[in-house]
Amino acid sequence: MPQVPQTLDALAVRTWCGLALEALGRAREEIDAINVYPVADGDTGTNLYLTVESAAAAVEAVFVGYETVTGVVGPTGSAPSGAVSTKVTGAGLPTLADAVRAMAHGALIGARGNSGTILAQLLRGMAQVLAADGEVDGAAGGETDGATDGESAHTDGQALRLALRQAADSARQAVAHPVEGTVLTVATAAAEAATGTEGDCGTVACAAYEGARAALMATPGQLAVLERAGVVDAGGRGLLAVLAALAETFTGESPGAGRVAGEVHTRVNGMDGVSGVDRVDGVGRVDVNGVCVDSRPGEEGPAFEVTYLLEAEDADVARLRARLDRLGNSLVVVGGDGLWNVHVHADDAGAAVEAGVEAGRPYRIRITHFGLGDAHTAGAAGRPPRERAQRAVVAVVPGEGLAGLYAEAGATTVLARPGEPPASGELVEAVRRAHAREVVLLPNDADLRHTAAAAAEQARTEGVRVALIPTRSAVQGIAALAVHEPERRFDEDVVAMTSAAGATRYAEVAVAERQSWTMAGICQAGDVLGLIDGDVAVIGSDITATAETVLDRMLAAGGEMVTLVLGDDAPGSIAAHLEARVRESYLAVDTVAYRGGRQGALLLIGVE
């Protein structure tokens, strides 16, 4: 048996995240299939997977950051300015506090759907205990064992018990109207089982798993919609997989492997809990007899799911909760320290977003229409499943402004924040969300080529015909989308879109973050860089002047259309200046400008 950690440390957190991601990857389709609450939209497994994927990536980034700064620590023991952490261990590894904070933050910014948002709060609750300074006190669960030596107080079974208790309590507080028979019930049962267990981390984790497992099997008796469907709660099933990974982290073995433990319309076996689900429709999308499934049984379900990240103060968030609670249901607001993840189902999606604007600064806004075929929609009984569209376009975009532009043109968008590229699973989810037989995928970033190719391959295994157009910039994607005609034969449409993208040169204007060697010479931090087709071509000191030089070089080879996409930090007059430059110097060349929002670059330029 491979050596396993006996105490909680950064390596244990890293191992747990990796095992949880693998477990959810194996169980994703099964969990999607039994997803009938709060909305029968078949994406709980995928949402949980994407949430943990973001958490695992954040933990991995902390380890990479420590490897980067090892050996360059100053005499006081602090890391260089801008490093991932300011605490360095003797082995060059992050501390437990570093790892759990990264895990919680990664889950928060990557949380998807109702269950993913709740899981993010569960992980945040654990981090609040495990990353606390000094002695573990009773604030998280009313227990102490006399541990007093700082970091070591957070590494044993006692700390894990307290962390699980805090996780369950904080998740309940984040949900506006908690319902029993859900992931909240399973989390509470895990915490209670752990609280009554003495021993090391492995013993506590196994007890939590067993408590959660028993609670999961009881969920059909607590929620009528689960009983009618003959399934357990999908969110609770996902949490069981995460707890199984936690137990495996400390024992090296999968809890409950090879054991059968009763049936509640569902056979339970295997390392992750529920498998071999008896489904009634072959795909798990059960008939819920027309009953609206939501966080308040008996109410009609709103038409939209609205989610966004929000930068806001605690007092403003309290008012936001009250307003959103009046607008809709399935309300979950998680986070803290100025950053929150907001999830709500509402008929007035615009009002839900406006409430966020009044509270602070929302971004990564996602609005999903549940569709007439969903059981969530009032009066859906007897309606046939929603037909797939013949063709759709899925595009990665770097800012909220461009996301709106692409959406208006009919594309399904995946938002890529600066420094946070989407994973292949997120692209696959977008392809599924497009709900089409044929999909054209626009990565709009050279660095996403392999990620997009992996997503396309996965989608093809699910029966979707996918064509990947290797767009390297959002302006190339705009050109491709402009010639998209769904009525054409698929191959002809792909050829036309590929030709339009390939005929578009692209550039961007950005500010250098550090001194670097470039194709145009050495740049210093703060210099303005003009990149053409991915390479630095101009180094300047003025944003507008640099942009004009870049545009002149691009138009020297000819062009008919200039597209400008302005970031939030671009000078307000730059678009008018460049449009005037084109009018005065280049006959028969048209210019169009868009607002891109927070897109990383100050300005994107396309020349067709």
Side-chain angles (χ1 to χ4, degrees), residues 108-136:
L108 176 67
I109 64 173
R112 306 297 288 269
N114 190 290
S115 294
T117 307
I118 293 173
L119 178 60
Q121 187 68 2
L122 288 166
L123 297 180
R124 177 178 171 81
M126 294 186 71
Q128 287 174 332
V129 171
L130 300 176
D133 294 328
E135 180 178 351
V136 177

Side-chain angles (χ1 to χ4, degrees), residues 66-154:
Y66 263 87
E67 292 169 3
T68 301
V69 302
T70 299
V72 292
V73 180
T76 62
S78 61
S81 175
V84 173
S85 174
T86 58
K87 187 173 183 180
V88 177
T89 65
L93 295 175
T95 64
L96 172 63
D98 291 324
V100 295
R101 285 172 181 148
M103 175 184 69
H105 181 72
L108 176 67
I109 64 173
R112 306 297 288 269
N114 190 290
S115 294
T117 307
I118 293 173
L119 178 60
Q121 187 68 2
L122 288 166
L123 297 180
R124 177 178 171 81
M126 294 186 71
Q128 287 174 332
V129 171
L130 300 176
D133 294 328
E135 180 178 351
V136 177
D137 58 33
E143 306 178 54
T144 66
D145 65 353
T148 59
D149 56 346
E151 179 84 10
S152 66
H154 306 275

Side-chain angles (χ1 to χ4, degrees), residues 294-381:
D294 207 348
S295 62
R296 302 180 199 173
E299 293 186 0
E300 292 187 352
F304 297 96
E305 177 185 57
V306 181
T307 63
Y308 48 82
L309 291 179
L310 178 70
E311 293 176 359
E313 299 299 325
D314 290 8
D316 296 318
V317 170
R319 289 189 290 271
L320 172 67
R321 287 180 193 267
R323 180 172 177 185
L324 291 179
D325 194 30
R326 293 191 295 270
L327 282 174
N329 51 33
S330 287
L331 174 61
V332 186
V333 181
V334 304
D337 302 320
L339 181 62
W340 308 82
N341 193 309
V342 179
H343 172 283
V344 68
H345 296 169
D347 280 321
D348 192 342
V353 175
E354 289 172 6
V357 172
E358 291 182 6
R361 193 184 71 82
Y363 58 100
R364 274 199 185 180
I365 300 167
R366 288 171 50 88
I367 300 173
T368 303
H369 187 267
F370 288 115
L372 295 177
D374 293 330
H376 172 78
T377 305

